[in-house]
Amino acid sequence: MGMRGTNVAKEASDIILMDDNFNTIVGAISNGRCIYNNIKKAISYVLAIHIPIALISFVLPLIKIKNFLMPVHIVLLELLIDPTCSIIFQRTKPDPDIMDKKPHLDSENIIDKATLLRCIIEGILIFITVFALYIYYYQKENIILGSTMAFTLLITSIMMCANTMKSRKLTITNFINSFKDKVIVLINLVILSILLILIYSPLNEYANMCMLNYKEWLIIIALTFLVTIPLDIVKKKRWTYELRKFKKRIW
């Protein structure tokens, strides 16, 4: 006890309760688990989104097709990745059942096999979608339009990937809930503003991009949400399975 305990007891103890309230321990454990889970989500996000970037940079030159990723694109991607990891996941609220789970073992890896597999699947799905869209316009010999749409789809998919990783809720639910946080909205607006400047300003010539019409934006938006469907299906099944296990444990 921090208020009533002796100095000798404080020096010998591992935990000191400054308010002498045992309920503080419960709150501390909840906060600790939330921080741990958010770190896992941030690492998972970084792993997932670097897979399509790496595959695009490797596969396109391998099959002798011009790579649409330029240094300015990489800079924009880094501007997207860093704030997402450091701010968005830091502000993610704990899961409702965070205190119902068993404590993780000290020997447990921060990224388990299931999480790693989910990251790989998400990254490959983004890569396949972006790659297919770029190849479609590349074969039509409209490389600049293909580069613009592929890069825009990569940005929107990465942004949506953050909503997929935030919680076990459906991506669309996390996406809608993100509008309640002004900081997250501000970050997304800054990223989208930079992207729109690259598309609709004279700078698009230096970024190998062109203007997009509303039909092309509809295609990008549809493909962005399409990428999240497989993981949402897996997430929903896993959530249902864990809910059944929790009910059995209660009864």
Side-chain angles (χ1 to χ4, degrees):
M1 297 297 184
M3 297 176 67
R4 290 175 291 177
T6 63
N7 291 331
V8 175
K10 291 177 184 179
E11 292 177 1
S13 62
D14 294 323
I15 298 175
I16 300 175
L17 296 177
M18 301 305 296
D19 55 2
D20 288 6
N21 185 355
F22 283 104
N23 291 328
T24 305
I25 298 177
V26 180
I29 293 173
S30 178
N31 289 335
R33 290 186 176 188
C34 179
I35 294 171
Y36 180 78
N37 289 341
N38 288 347
I39 292 173
K40 288 182 65 175
K41 292 172 185 177
I43 295 175
S44 301
Y45 171 77
V46 171
L47 289 175
I49 63 177
H50 277 88
I51 290 174
I53 298 173
L55 288 176
I56 289 169
S57 302
F58 176 74
V59 173
L60 289 179
L62 187 65
I63 59 178
K64 296 181 180 180
I65 292 179
K66 183 181 178 181
N67 191 354
F68 62 85
L69 289 179
M70 298 176 62
V72 65
H73 300 147
I74 302 299
V75 170
L76 181 56
L77 286 171
E78 289 301 320
L79 287 175
L80 168 61
I81 295 169
D82 293 342
T84 302
C85 294
S86 59
I87 299 176
I88 292 181
F89 285 107
Q90 181 183 357
R91 298 176 65 86
T92 302
K93 296 181 179 179
D95 297 325
D97 62 337
I98 193 169
M99 294 301 291
D100 296 326
K101 298 179 180 179
K102 295 180 179 180
H104 67 272
L105 301 175
D106 293 338
S107 58
E108 178 184 329
N109 294 325
I110 192 168
I111 299 296
D112 54 19
K113 292 181 180 179
T115 303
L116 181 60
L117 180 61
R118 187 168 68 249
C119 295
I120 294 173
I121 293 173
E122 177 72 5
I124 291 176
L125 284 173
I126 295 174
F127 164 72
I128 291 174
T129 309
V130 173
F131 179 78
L133 182 64
Y134 179 64
I135 293 299
Y136 174 78
Y137 286 97
Y138 186 87
Q139 291 178 343
K140 286 189 172 185
E141 297 183 354
N142 199 342
I143 301 176
I144 296 180
L145 178 59
S147 300
T148 307
M149 293 193 67
F151 179 68
T152 305
L153 177 59
L154 181 61
I155 290 289
T156 55
S157 298
I158 288 175
M159 293 175 68
M160 196 56 63
C161 180
N163 290 287
T164 302
M165 300 284 185
K166 278 177 68 176
S167 74
R168 289 176 295 179
K169 296 178 181 178
L170 296 178
T171 303
I172 186 65
T173 304
N174 292 331
F175 178 72
I176 294 172
N177 290 336
S178 65
F179 286 97
K180 299 177 182 178
D181 193 321
K182 295 181 181 180
V183 176
I184 295 177
V185 172
L186 179 62
I187 292 172
N188 290 330
L189 284 177
V190 170
I191 294 167
L192 288 175
S193 298
I194 297 174
L195 177 62
L196 292 175
I197 290 172
L198 285 179
I199 295 175
Y200 293 103
S201 73
L203 293 174
N204 56 15
E205 295 182 6
Y206 300 98
N208 195 30
M209 301 174 76
C210 63
M211 296 184 181
L212 301 176
N213 56 39
Y214 75 95
K215 292 182 180 179
E216 292 157 352
W217 274 108
L218 289 176
I219 293 173
I220 291 170
I221 294 171
L223 290 175
T224 301
F225 282 96
L226 183 65
V227 171
T228 65
I229 291 176
L231 280 183
D232 277 342
I233 294 173
V234 174
K235 190 189 298 184
K236 197 69 177 177
K237 289 183 178 180
R238 185 177 179 183
W239 172 251
T240 304
Y241 173 73
E242 290 186 0
L243 185 62
R244 288 175 181 173
K245 284 177 62 179
F246 179 65
K247 287 180 177 179
K248 287 181 181 180
R249 190 169 60 185
I250 292 177
W251 293 104

